Amino acid sequence: MKEVISTTTFFTLFFTLHTIVSWVFPFLNLGWLLAWLLIVVISLIISKFLYEWLERQEEGYLPPKRRNLLFFSIVIVGLSLVAVQYWNEYKEKPFSEVLAHYSYPDQIMINPYEGTDPITNKSTIDDLMNFLSQYNVQKVKNDKGERALGGHELVWDNDKGLNGPAVVMVLISEDNIWVNFDRYEVLNGPIDIEWVEQSLTIN
């Protein structure tokens, strides 16, 4: 049983630390290689310590019933963390909550492949962010990583990335908003595209 408990602990710790790092540092880029290595090492050390402790206590005050209770407690904690992460990722939320994972833009590129000038006016940026924040969205699965054709694309640097600024790409259509390759369905839409177009012409 101690082998099962320590193995379960390793995977529970791995997914827990992975979740925490993902929430705190959403853009690690190549830094994820180092992060994964550290997460694996930390999980192994703690699991090995638990295994050795269980081995010492096997004949002491940790009878089979308590070992089973410890095992199922670890499993329940792991499953709860996975369930909470899934619920938080796919629950209905204001779009402002999605944007909160990224730094606030100092300037915004509009449809960058068309060679348009960026928006640098703070008042225009604030109006645009406030306008988008009024919509409630829900993340939907986008297994193929596809993005809609057309719409209006907003691009800005995200300084919350650890390995230099990460690029945030927001693609707006009437019924969906893509943030990078994550698709969010607009629940209280459709989005007023005419207002967006008018706003993008003011700089």
Side-chain angles (χ1 to χ4, degrees):
M1 177 62 73
K2 59 181 178 293
E3 292 86 356
V4 176
I5 293 177
S6 57
T7 301
T8 305
T9 300
F10 169 79
F11 286 108
T12 301
L13 283 171
F14 179 85
F15 286 116
T16 301
L17 293 173
H18 184 278
T19 300
I20 293 173
V21 172
S22 299
W23 285 349
V24 177
F25 306 113
F27 291 101
L28 281 174
N29 300 328
L30 294 178
W32 267 116
L33 297 176
L34 178 60
W36 280 333
L37 178 62
L38 290 175
I39 290 172
V40 168
V41 170
I42 292 172
S43 301
L44 281 174
I45 291 174
I46 295 177
S47 299
K48 183 176 183 297
F49 174 82
L50 178 62
Y51 179 87
E52 292 174 349
W53 181 80
L54 288 171
E55 197 170 38
R56 290 194 303 269
Q57 304 301 326
E58 199 165 33
E59 302 300 329
Y61 61 88
L62 198 66
K65 286 186 178 180
R66 291 187 180 178
R67 289 202 300 272
N68 292 337
L69 178 61
L70 178 61
F71 168 71
F72 287 113
S73 298
I74 293 172
V75 171
I76 290 173
V77 169
L79 292 176
S80 299
L81 287 170
V82 172
V84 168
Q85 182 184 13
Y86 184 89
W87 173 81
N88 185 66
E89 188 171 0
Y90 288 94
K91 70 176 181 179
E92 177 181 347
K93 65 188 73 174
F95 191 61
S96 57
E97 188 173 324
V98 178
L99 293 176
H101 291 284
Y102 310 95
S103 58
Y104 199 81
D106 295 322
Q107 66 174 16
I108 300 177
M109 296 292 295
I110 313 163
N111 302 321
Y113 297 109
E114 298 179 4
T116 54
D117 293 330
I119 296 177
T120 56
N121 185 284
K122 185 179 184 302
S123 177
T124 303
I125 293 174
D126 290 343
D127 289 343
L128 183 58
M129 293 295 104
N130 290 333
F131 172 79
L132 293 176
S133 296
Q134 71 179 313
Y135 291 101
N136 293 331
V137 298
Q138 186 170 26
K139 186 176 180 180
V140 295
K141 290 186 177 181
N142 188 27
D143 297 332
K144 296 181 180 180
E146 296 175 347
R147 306 184 77 202
L149 298 176
H152 296 281
E153 187 168 32
L154 313 177
V155 180
W156 68 87
D157 291 335
N158 175 50
D159 296 326
K160 288 188 178 180
L162 291 184
N163 297 335
V167 174
V168 183
M169 297 180 293
V170 177
L171 182 62
I172 304 170
S173 64
E174 285 191 343
D175 300 313
N176 295 278
I177 303 176
W178 279 258
V179 180
N180 294 336
F181 288 98
D182 292 331
R183 177 188 166 202
Y184 294 87
E185 181 181 358
V186 179
L187 302 179
N188 58 338
I191 293 177
D192 188 347
I193 295 297
E194 184 177 349
W195 186 96
V196 173
E197 292 174 346
Q198 292 176 353
S199 177
L200 296 181
T201 60
I202 303 174
N203 188 16

